[in-house]
Amino acid sequence: MTSRKKQALRTGESHIQAVRERYPGVVLSESWSTDYQPVITVARDSAPVVIEYLYYQRGGWMPVMIGNDERSFNNCFALYYILSMEEEDRCMLTVRVEVPADTCEFYAVSPKVPAAVWSEREVQDMFGLHAIGIIDNRNLVLPDDWPMDIHPLRKDAMDYRYRPAPTRDIENYEFLKETGDHETTTIPMGPMHITSDEPGHFRLYVEGEDIIDADYRMFFVHRGMEKCAEARMDYDNVSFLAERICGICGYAHSVAYSETVERAQGIEVPLRAQYIRAILLETERLHSHLLNLGLVCHYSGFDTGFQHFFRIREKSMDLAELLTGARKTYGYNLIGGVRRDILAEQKLETLRLVGELRADAKRLVDELLSTPNFLKRAQGVGKLDPKIARDYSPVGPCVRGSGFARDARWVHPFDGYAAIAAKHKPITADTCDVFGRTVVRVGEFLDSIDIIEELLSADLPSGIVLNDKFNIDPHKFALGWTEAPRGEDVHWSMIGNDQKCYRWRAKASTYSNWPVLRYMFRGNTISDAALIVGSIDPCYSCTERVSIIDVKKGTEKVVTKQQLETYARTRKHSPLAD
């Protein structure tokens, strides 16, 4: 009698088997939206314990949760909890939960996995669902004066151009604080424009100059891009809209969205186009990291370094223009590939420019890391405790600066990165502070130059750069992801039967990094605030100003952004002084 070989498991199937063994009967169905993306639908009341098990005991992280109005074809709402499985049996695992249309209730995962809290708050706002037991029940996206019965992402809710009249004269948003017995002064900071599409309002609770706690609110000018895309754009137009999510890492968003359609529909992207996408993503990383390194210099009072980093950043912008015809917002990406090839003369000039960038950056970095003022301002400041990071799933240099080797290029290789992933690994630091996040960006900048040279080598595949021979089947869905300069961007889309996105969810990297900032503020001083926020690499509005409120005296003082930055750089003339 001959023994039969054990049938090989599909990618992600070991996680599904583990859930079935630990929680019998909770898995209602399983499927694969792509070979790398298993999907399990679980019983609604079991979702929190299943996700907690996958998250903490099987190496999962949570980039985002997506809500979807599926009443027209499934008679329910659906929630898609995305888990990036990063230890054994790596995959992007989706835990799907059906929410009855009559009760609109589901059991919150956030009490067990805090990383889910922003997504669960968002589906309450945008879909009118109720998360039982959620750890933070405040509005996230919708303003306090929004009508209670209008939920924008329901299919029958509203036209994307509709602007309802306010229902209240004033907003009553409650800022949270955990200050214990400390007698604190409140410092409201804002508005602030960030890379996840909204200004924000920060409040620092301080005792003297020390930050005891902080809270913040975002989404003050939510652009409604998902609603607009679903209402009036064909699926192949959305890649250009996605590129306008962010002025720094827009190309990463365009690639991530395109991958959702390509993977869901089984569209094969030509290998040469995959390499070109990776080259352009690394080009985008070069100018973004140089920008942040310059700003770190600025916030720490080293403006000479700021000027020099921005000087050499011009070469990275020249490189982007050489390859795409634009310094930013390239308009280069299409479903199925890219619009143009890289020509031989562009390749030679690219190799020359990145060689100059490497030499220039190394000289500047040596100066920066030997400048006592920068070291004193960055080391030990803005610490992100690894336990907090594990609970909230931050991304990019923010989490890699706390020792976690999370980088979508190498953990879940995509496009051209798959061919070189074996030669690279995520760059990390273990200091958990502003200095560590800066060191990670320095390492990634130099690594990006190596990657561009590697992808442009003699092994660059030949052939076409666009596959436009495909059909679209409705209601198939998949994830797309990229490692943007600020961290992992994750998109999810489902195409409808009218050539439009039935549902598009775009998660910017900063969306994952804001929740941990509260803990990074604690234990630092007011003068560190700008540097700490800058270390996660958001974008500021140039019209920002700050109100200083002394709770004890009942006085208020307004300072400009420039005055606050001056104080942050010099630590002189406290804005709290009379």
Side-chain angles (χ1 to χ4, degrees):
M1 181 178 179
T2 59
S3 60
R4 294 188 305 174
K5 292 183 178 180
K6 186 178 180 180
Q7 185 177 0
L9 296 179
R10 297 186 66 177
T11 300
E13 193 168 359
S14 66
H15 301 301
I16 301 174
Q17 288 183 350
V19 171
R20 288 187 182 276
E21 292 172 3
R22 188 177 181 91
Y23 304 104
V26 304
V27 177
L28 305 180
S29 66
E30 64 181 68
S31 62
W32 274 258
S33 56
T34 76
D35 289 341
Y36 198 74
Q37 299 181 34
V39 181
I40 58 172
T41 299
V42 302
R44 181 168 52 120
D45 58 348
S46 301
V49 294
V50 169
I51 294 170
E52 180 188 30
Y53 170 64
L54 290 167
Y55 189 92
Y56 286 111
Q57 297 188 41
R58 296 195 64 83
W61 296 73
M62 186 179 294
V64 71
M65 181 267 279
I66 298 103
N68 195 20
D69 182 352
E70 300 183 359
R71 291 175 294 172
S72 62
F73 57 94
N74 280 333
N75 299 314
C76 64
F77 295 93
L79 306 177
Y80 296 81
Y81 289 87
I82 309 304
L83 290 167
S84 172
M85 310 306 293
E86 300 182 5
E87 293 180 5
E88 295 181 5
D89 197 6
R90 289 181 176 180
C91 64
M92 296 294 276
L93 173 63
T94 297
V95 178
R96 181 176 179 271
V97 180
E98 294 187 349
V99 182
D102 54 349
T103 66
C104 296
E105 291 183 344
F106 66 98
Y107 294 91
V109 171
S110 52
K112 295 184 177 295
V113 182
V117 64
W118 267 35
S119 294
E120 291 184 337
R121 290 172 65 188
E122 184 168 344
V123 297
Q124 288 195 137
D125 284 1
M126 305 303 277
F127 291 92
L129 307 181
H130 175 54
I132 300 172
I134 190 171
I135 61 176
D136 186 350
N137 205 35
R138 298 174 297 170
N139 285 9
L140 181 74
V141 179
L142 297 182
D144 297 326
D145 59 0
W146 187 270
M148 296 286 290
D149 58 343
I150 299 178
H151 304 286
L153 288 181
R154 288 193 177 197
K155 294 303 180 183
D156 56 359
M158 54 181 278
D159 185 270
Y160 72 94
R161 295 162 293 187
Y162 178 62
R163 298 293 181 271
T167 59
R168 299 184 182 94
D169 292 331
I170 60 173
E171 292 198 5
N172 57 358
Y173 188 79
E174 179 186 1
F175 287 88
L176 303 180
K177 62 178 178 178
E178 298 175 5
T179 55
D181 297 330
H182 296 277
E183 184 176 348
T184 61
T185 296
T186 304
I187 303 181
M189 298 173 56
M192 175 186 292
H193 181 270
I194 64 170
T195 54
S196 52
D197 314 331
E198 64 281 350
H201 186 173
F202 277 57
R203 289 202 177 188
L204 306 180
Y205 301 101
V206 302
E207 183 178 49
E209 300 296 318
D210 298 323
I211 300 173
I212 307 302
D213 198 8
D215 196 18
Y216 29 87
R217 190 178 192 191
M218 308 302 169
F219 295 93
F220 278 90
V221 190
H222 186 62
R223 290 181 287 177
M225 298 177 79
E226 293 169 348
K227 181 76 173 180
C228 179
E230 294 168 17
R232 66 174 298 179
M233 302 183 74
D234 290 343
Y235 73 89
D236 54 349
N237 302 144
V238 177
S239 61
F240 297 101
L241 178 63
E243 193 165 4
R244 284 151 177 82
I245 289 175
C246 176
I248 298 296
C249 49
Y251 186 72
H253 283 287
S254 179
V255 171
Y257 167 74
S258 298
E259 288 180 345
T260 68
V261 180
E262 291 158 357
R263 289 171 175 160
Q265 303 299 328
I267 301 169
E268 184 176 351
V269 179
L271 192 56
R272 188 174 180 88
Q274 294 182 34
Y275 275 58
I276 291 173
R277 283 181 175 178
I279 290 167
L280 295 182
L281 286 168
E282 294 308 307
T283 299
E284 195 168 60
R285 191 181 319 279
L286 290 177
H287 79 74
S288 178
H289 279 355
L290 286 172
L291 180 149
N292 186 259
L293 291 171
L295 290 178
V296 164
C297 292
H298 173 62
Y299 287 129
S300 59
F302 183 33
D303 276 343
T304 299
F306 167 78
Q307 296 290 346
H308 280 292
F309 274 112
F310 267 61
R311 172 181 60 80
I312 67 171
R313 182 173 179 262
E314 284 300 304
K315 291 184 180 179
S316 68
M317 304 301 287
D318 291 341
L319 175 59
E321 186 174 7
L322 167 71
L323 294 173
T324 70
R327 289 163 62 87
K328 271 306 300 160
T329 314
Y330 308 145
Y332 207 87
N333 219 48
L334 294 171
I335 305 297
V338 295
R339 295 175 63 194
R340 293 188 297 274
D341 203 348
I342 293 179
L343 305 179
E345 56 268 28
Q346 292 174 308
K347 171 183 172 179
L348 292 175
E349 181 64 9
T350 295
L351 293 173
R352 185 189 69 80
L353 280 171
V354 296
E356 290 184 2
L357 277 168
R358 178 188 284 115
D360 290 343
K362 282 184 175 180
R363 285 193 295 269
L364 280 180
V365 166
D366 289 343
E367 292 181 16
L368 174 65
L369 299 184
S370 61
T371 301
N373 188 53
F374 169 73
L375 298 178
K376 289 179 180 179
R377 292 304 318 279
Q379 291 178 335
V381 172
K383 279 186 168 290
L384 174 57
D385 185 274
K387 184 181 184 305
I388 297 296
R390 187 66 185 92
D391 287 341
Y392 283 91
S393 288
V395 296
C398 187
V399 73
R400 292 193 285 274
S402 290
F404 292 99
R406 300 196 62 218
D407 189 318
R409 294 174 295 173
W410 318 126
V411 176
H412 303 297
F414 57 94
D415 284 337
Y417 298 109
I420 61 173
K423 305 176 185 178
H424 295 267
K425 62 181 181 179
I427 293 172
T428 62
D430 58 8
T431 58
C432 307
D433 53 11
V434 171
F435 179 78
R437 294 186 280 277
T438 302
V439 168
V440 168
R441 287 190 176 91
V442 169
E444 289 183 1
F445 175 86
L446 297 174
D447 196 39
S448 290
I449 292 176
D450 293 340
I451 292 169
I452 291 172
E453 291 176 335
E454 191 172 352
L455 292 173
L456 279 175
S457 69
D459 297 328
L460 180 66
S462 59
I464 62 173
V465 296
L466 179 64
N467 173 16
D468 58 359
K469 309 296 183 184
F470 55 82
N471 296 314
I472 296 294
D473 294 327
H475 297 144
K476 289 185 175 181
F477 62 86
L479 286 166
W481 58 86
T482 54
E483 185 66 30
R486 293 177 172 90
E488 181 184 79
D489 290 339
V490 175
H491 287 228
W492 186 97
S493 74
M494 174 187 287
I495 306 302
N497 54 15
D498 55 358
Q499 300 294 299
K500 289 183 170 61
C501 281
Y502 185 86
R503 177 75 172 103
W504 169 44
R505 175 68 172 97
K507 194 281 298 185
S509 50
T510 307
Y511 186 95
S512 298
N513 288 338
W514 280 125
V516 298
L517 189 61
R518 180 182 191 183
Y519 303 94
M520 294 162 65
F521 276 135
R522 293 175 180 176
N524 295 281
T525 66
I526 300 171
S527 65
D528 298 322
L531 182 62
I532 294 169
V533 176
S535 74
I536 71 170
D537 198 9
C539 294
Y540 283 98
S541 164
C542 63
T543 59
E544 176 185 37
R545 65 179 191 171
V546 179
S547 298
I548 310 295
I549 300 176
D550 190 314
V551 176
K552 191 173 182 180
K553 296 181 179 179
T555 59
E556 180 173 346
K557 183 178 181 181
V558 175
V559 298
T560 66
K561 176 175 180 287
Q562 183 178 5
Q563 289 172 323
L564 182 70
E565 290 179 355
T566 299
Y567 176 60
R569 293 194 301 271
T570 64
R571 296 190 178 187
K572 295 179 181 179
H573 186 59
S574 167
L576 294 176
D578 291 333

